[in-house]
Amino acid sequence: MGGYENGDSPAAIAGEDGVVLGVDGGTTNTVCVCLPAAMPPPESPAAVPILARAVAGCSNRNSVGESTALETLEQVMTQALTMANTDRSAVRAVCLAVSGVNHPSDQQRMLEWIRSLFPGNAKFYVENDAVAALASGTMGKLHGCVLIAGTGSIAYGVTEDGKVARAAGAGPVLGDWGSGYGIAAQALTAVIKAHDGRGPQTSLTGDILEKLELSSPDEIIGWTYADPSWARLAALVPVVVSSAEDGDEVANKILHDSVQELADTVIAVVRRLRLCGEDEKDKFPLVLVGGVLEGNKKWDISGEVIKCISKVFPGTVPIWPEVCMFVTMPF
């Protein structure tokens, strides 16, 4: 994002003012950006001077365990600092926005851990990744609602006076059914049901077997439990979307049900916080983030979710955050 004049390197720009690390930790991957601590508030995401950007795997402790999650977070921060030609002593602040941080006790444990990594007077902030997702669409203003639908799903809202509410985000066992994991799990279940006669025949059977390079639905059971990681199953969502676009009734029902689940998740948060006003017609920003909500040629999941929500709240203002991938590289 952005660029620098006069041939200055990231290390020179960071200088004595140091750097700030921002981490978005998800169930699919974890991203860390390194920014100069001394910079004016940007007018747009494209104006943010990123010194380095590093990517690692899952850092959701509920998915991979606390030890692995912390190792991933340390790895991605270290990599970003190395790419920016600087080190931990230059860090002035760290913001960790991580999925799986659902309770003050989660925050406290992570704060204690991050303080042990960075000596000195650095400032630390730990939040659920939904907070960062909301800010990404509102240029840092925490007001409105965000819907994340990636490997997992969550809706998170904040009022102008700081009241917060959330819905879903409890993981696959407790029902993030509109998530990538939820969609894929329903598709795999539909294939097993079709195979043993409990459900209708579906083109998902052939499509999923081809994707997984398996020869029989019986093999799906072994494939699923060999590594039931959430992101691994969620990677099957494009297959479900493709089957639905080709007219498969079972795949279409899975997607329609998932759309309604996601819409209901947002509606619950908006109503609890009265973001829509007393008459439910006031405008409010709705930030949409995550791979499930990315546009498809025929089956536009995010578009269908917006339609459902707008029927209830006509003042919904959808926002898709601007994503820029340009990084100023060291000389």
Side-chain angles (χ1 to χ4, degrees):
M1 296 182 182
Y4 297 103
E5 298 178 355
N6 303 322
D8 289 333
S9 71
I13 293 166
E16 296 181 358
D17 293 319
V19 298
V20 173
L21 297 178
V23 179
D24 177 12
T27 305
T28 302
N29 56 43
T30 301
V31 179
C32 177
V33 293
C34 181
L35 314 172
M39 67 175 182
E43 296 181 358
S44 72
V48 177
I50 292 185
L51 305 178
R53 180 182 188 272
V55 182
C58 173
S59 57
N60 185 324
R61 57 190 290 271
N62 296 325
S63 177
V64 296
E66 187 163 4
S67 177
T68 299
L70 295 181
E71 287 177 7
T72 299
L73 290 170
E74 183 174 3
Q75 171 194 339
V76 78
M77 289 187 290
T78 300
Q79 184 180 355
L81 289 171
T82 300
M83 293 169 65
N85 287 335
T86 188
D87 56 32
R88 296 182 185 184
S89 66
V91 173
R92 301 294 178 263
V94 180
C95 178
L96 297 178
V98 185
S99 61
V101 175
N102 300 313
H103 189 271
S105 62
D106 299 331
Q107 290 178 303
Q108 187 57 41
R109 281 201 306 274
M110 193 158 286
L111 279 170
E112 292 173 358
W113 170 78
I114 194 70
R115 288 189 184 114
S116 70
L117 293 182
F118 296 94
N121 298 317
K123 296 180 179 179
F124 304 106
Y125 306 89
V126 176
E127 298 285 356
N128 185 275
D129 62 334
V131 178
L134 175 59
S136 74
T138 59
M139 285 304 296
K141 181 179 180 181
L142 291 181
H143 169 250
C145 184
V146 62
L147 173 65
I148 300 178
T151 299
S153 62
I154 186 173
Y156 178 88
V158 184
T159 64
E160 290 187 329
D161 60 355
K163 295 178 182 176
V164 302
R166 56 176 282 175
V173 175
L174 300 178
D176 289 354
W177 298 124
S179 67
Y181 182 99
I183 291 171
Q186 290 180 76
L188 292 170
T189 300
V191 170
I192 296 299
K193 284 186 172 182
H195 180 60
D196 62 21
R198 289 179 294 141
Q201 294 301 306
T202 168
S203 65
L204 284 169
T205 299
D207 294 342
I208 288 178
L209 289 178
E210 180 180 359
K211 174 67 177 178
L212 301 181
E213 299 181 346
L214 302 176
S215 58
S216 166
D218 290 328
E219 297 178 39
I220 288 178
I221 299 172
W223 178 89
T224 299
Y225 294 109
D227 177 11
S229 63
W230 304 349
R232 179 170 175 259
L233 267 66
L236 292 174
V237 168
V239 179
V240 183
V241 172
S242 179
S243 297
E245 290 178 342
D246 289 340
D248 185 77
E249 292 184 5
V250 174
N252 271 285
K253 185 178 187 305
I254 290 172
L255 294 186
H256 280 296
D257 290 348
S258 298
V259 163
Q260 192 60 58
E261 285 281 352
L262 293 173
D264 288 345
T265 300
V266 171
I267 290 168
V269 170
V270 172
R271 279 198 169 135
R272 281 165 62 190
L273 295 177
R274 289 287 187 265
L275 292 172
C276 53
E278 294 299 326
D279 61 357
E280 298 194 339
K281 295 182 180 179
D282 288 2
K283 289 185 176 182
F284 66 92
L286 174 63
V287 180
L288 296 111
V289 177
V292 171
L293 299 174
E294 293 179 357
N296 299 289
K297 292 181 179 179
K298 296 179 181 178
W299 232 113
D300 183 5
I301 295 176
S302 62
E304 293 300 315
V305 171
I306 292 299
K307 286 180 184 177
C308 289
I309 297 171
S310 295
K311 289 178 182 178
V312 181
F313 307 131
T316 303
V317 180
I319 299 172
W320 288 267
E322 179 181 352
V323 178
C324 297
M325 301 297 291
F326 299 106
V327 179
T328 296
M329 299 301 293
F331 289 94

